[in-house]
Amino acid sequence: MTSQLFAICFNAARPSDLARFWSGVLGWQPADGPEDGIAILAPGPVGYRIRFLPSQEPRTGRNRAHFDLTSATPEDQRRTVARALELGAEHLDVGQLPEEGHVVLADPDGNEFCVIEAGNKFLADTGVIGALSCDGTQEVGYFWSKALRWPLVWDQDQETAIQSPDGGTKITWGGPPVAPKTGTNRLYLELTIPADADPEAELDRLVSLGATRTSAGEDRGGDHGGRVLLLDPDGNEFSVRTHR
């Protein structure tokens, strides 16, 4: 069986503070579980987590991925922005034009995110996190479509997007030019392998699709081999939980 999206992970200097921020912005509740770090869980059937893991690595450049939050109405957008600012976010200038309707913010750890204006048809019916918007190539979009077996919902001008067959958050890649990678990504995907699947066979499948196993092998967390660190075709880190 195919790996499933378990979590979107943040490497954070203060995981508990960042978890409180995002829990307050999204209205998500803490998730139970013995894993390291702190997690909040999306409501409903498409229930991936956001995990906040301790890291002292310094920030180097802009993140390769950020959240696009949706808005039902203009007032809803204003409320989301006001709530985020009250919880510790700051306005961020990334060169957006005054006439653009989205609002760019940074969370208390400096991670960029956007609050998208109401009426965005591409993000309709996706939930509060409309997209994990990534800097990446068409090749990496194809890789993740095959890795998760999520269909492509956009494939034009080297821009790609995928979405679970069950709906929910889209993952998008903006195509070239792709900024050079600087250091370890602060945001990355964590997959889990179903209990009845062969972990090595699934890892071999991901490698056959274009992933690379790193020399690090297992990542942080003291799970004694419970997570394996890989790189996608664009060199982005992701981890695979080989047991629950």
Side-chain angles (χ1 to χ4, degrees):
M1 294 181 69
T2 306
S3 294
Q4 301 164 352
L5 177 62
F6 179 76
I8 298 172
C9 299
F10 281 79
N11 288 330
R14 297 178 299 278
S16 59
D17 291 348
L18 202 59
R20 280 193 294 272
F21 170 83
W22 281 107
S23 178
V25 170
L26 302 175
W28 293 12
Q29 299 303 311
D32 294 330
E35 65 265 0
D36 56 315
I38 301 169
I40 58 176
L41 180 63
V46 191
Y48 64 87
R49 292 161 165 75
I50 302 177
R51 297 182 63 212
F52 304 91
L53 302 167
S55 174
Q56 298 305 316
E57 291 190 33
R59 177 181 172 86
T60 55
R62 223 177 260 172
N63 288 338
R64 271 193 164 187
H66 67 269
F67 287 147
D68 285 338
L69 307 186
T70 59
S71 306
T73 64
E75 179 57 32
D76 183 41
Q77 183 187 28
R78 288 191 288 270
R79 280 195 300 264
T80 300
V81 171
R83 182 166 65 250
L85 293 172
E86 183 179 349
L87 290 167
E90 296 182 350
H91 283 282
L92 193 63
D93 182 1
V94 294
Q96 66 271 33
L97 300 175
E99 61 268 24
E100 294 183 275
H102 64 280
V103 179
V104 184
L105 301 171
D107 71 19
D109 221 24
N111 301 300
E112 307 89 353
F113 67 100
C114 295
V115 184
I116 305 299
E117 66 276 14
N120 185 295
K121 294 182 179 179
F122 181 70
L123 300 181
D125 301 321
T126 54
V128 62
I129 301 179
L132 178 67
S133 180
C134 306
D135 195 16
T137 63
Q138 185 180 55
E139 179 187 7
V140 85
Y142 290 170
F143 166 81
W144 281 108
S145 177
K146 294 173 183 175
L148 294 173
R149 291 200 168 100
W150 287 12
L152 285 160
V153 294
W154 181 264
D155 184 12
Q156 187 172 314
D157 299 327
Q158 300 189 60
E159 298 176 356
T160 50
I162 62 174
Q163 186 180 31
S164 166
D166 298 321
T169 300
K170 294 177 177 179
I171 307 178
T172 71
W173 293 270
V178 178
K181 188 171 182 290
T182 57
T184 302
N185 289 340
R186 300 178 84 190
L187 276 74
Y188 66 93
L189 300 181
E190 184 170 73
L191 313 185
T192 188
I193 298 175
D196 57 349
D198 178 355
E200 280 304 317
E202 177 59 9
L203 291 169
D204 287 344
R205 185 185 75 90
L206 293 170
V207 169
S208 74
L209 293 175
T212 303
R213 294 184 74 154
T214 74
S215 58
E218 297 84 27
D219 77 354
R220 67 184 78 76
D223 277 5
H224 305 292
R227 288 190 292 276
V228 176
L229 184 67
L230 298 96
L231 304 176
D232 72 16
D234 276 1
N236 301 301
E237 301 84 4
F238 70 98
S239 65
V240 179
R241 301 167 66 95
T242 54
H243 62 71
R244 291 182 182 271

